[in-house]
């Protein structure tokens, strides 16, 4: 009985310790709850399209490569959120985005808006003017953004 109680207490202790570990609790980049942007952009899809057409903005697709390969918005730049969060350094991100994004608004999009907002926070932290889109890929296509299937642009 004492062993059973000890085992249960030890399991609870481990669960509490793991959930409060800095990497688990705050993510690899630290606690991003206070980073901007805190919400999705208020820009309409019409405004987004106008900014992109006028070369004032670039669409950044933060979905995974598998999702991208299934279809993506023509002219978008692939920058998976997982890579932003776990793999790429700030310098690597800037090198990847340098040519397409210089002095432009970055509109991030994903499938439903969650990764878009998280990616926007990271890119904002790196100094970009970034606006997260709530509409996902399917909604963008339905709104008239042209879809295509081809390898990602580097």
């Amino acid at each position: 009985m004492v062993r059973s109680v000890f085992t249960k207490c030890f399991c609870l202790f481990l669960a509490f310790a793991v959930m409060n570990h800095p990497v688990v609790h705050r993510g690899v980049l630290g606690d991003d709850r206070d980073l901007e942007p805190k919400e999705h952009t208020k820009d309409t899809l019409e405004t987004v399209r106008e900014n992109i057409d006028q070369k004032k903005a670039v669409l950044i697709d933060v979905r995974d490569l598998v999702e991208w390969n299934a279809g993506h918005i023509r002219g978008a730049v692939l920058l998976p959120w997982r890579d932003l969060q776990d793999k790429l350094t700030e310098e690597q991100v800037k090198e990847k985005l340098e040519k397409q994004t210089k002095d432009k608004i970055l509109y991030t999009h994903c499938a439903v808006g969650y990764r878009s907002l998280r990616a926007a926070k990271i890119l904002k932290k790196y100094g970009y003017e970034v606006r997260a889109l709530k509409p996902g890929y399917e909604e963008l296509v339905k709104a008239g953004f042209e879809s295509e299937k081809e390898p990602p642009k580097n």
Side-chain angles (χ1 to χ4, degrees):
M1 170 136 165
V2 171
R3 188 175 187 157
S4 173
V5 170
F6 174 77
T7 302
K8 289 178 184 175
C9 288
F10 183 71
C11 288
L12 285 171
F13 168 77
L14 272 179
F16 180 77
V18 167
M19 291 309 297
N20 286 299
H21 188 276
V23 172
V24 173
H25 184 64
R26 295 183 193 90
V28 174
L29 291 174
D31 190 349
D32 69 1
R33 289 175 287 186
D34 293 329
L35 294 178
E36 296 291 334
K38 294 182 188 273
E39 58 186 37
H40 296 92
T41 185
K42 301 286 189 249
D43 290 3
T44 65
L45 291 182
E46 185 178 314
T47 299
V48 172
R49 186 191 327 264
E50 287 173 7
N51 285 337
I52 292 170
D53 289 346
Q54 295 171 7
K55 308 288 188 224
K56 294 179 183 177
V58 175
L59 191 61
I60 306 294
D61 190 331
V62 300
R63 300 175 303 149
D64 292 328
L65 182 59
V66 171
E67 295 170 285
W68 168 276
N69 288 339
H72 54 272
I73 303 300
R74 181 179 301 280
V77 176
L78 176 64
L79 186 61
W81 175 69
R82 287 180 198 219
D83 291 353
L84 265 176
Q85 183 185 28
D86 298 330
K87 298 176 185 171
L88 299 175
T89 65
E90 181 176 350
E91 291 77 28
Q92 289 171 316
V93 170
K94 289 184 176 184
E95 184 179 305
K96 181 174 177 72
L97 296 179
E98 181 179 18
K99 293 176 186 170
Q100 301 104 324
T101 64
K102 190 162 180 70
D103 301 323
K104 294 183 181 176
I105 300 165
L106 305 185
Y107 286 108
T108 57
H109 89 86
C110 59
V112 296
Y114 175 77
R115 292 174 288 179
S116 171
L117 190 57
R118 298 294 300 263
K121 289 176 185 235
I122 295 169
L123 292 169
K124 178 79 170 180
K125 182 176 167 182
Y126 293 167
Y128 292 97
E129 181 181 348
V130 60
R131 301 174 190 173
L133 295 176
K134 175 69 175 150
Y137 170 73
E138 295 294 331
E139 292 172 82
L140 293 173
V141 171
K142 287 178 185 173
F145 286 78
E146 192 174 343
S147 178
E148 66 181 3
K149 293 181 185 180
E150 63 181 48
K153 297 177 182 177
N154 290 327

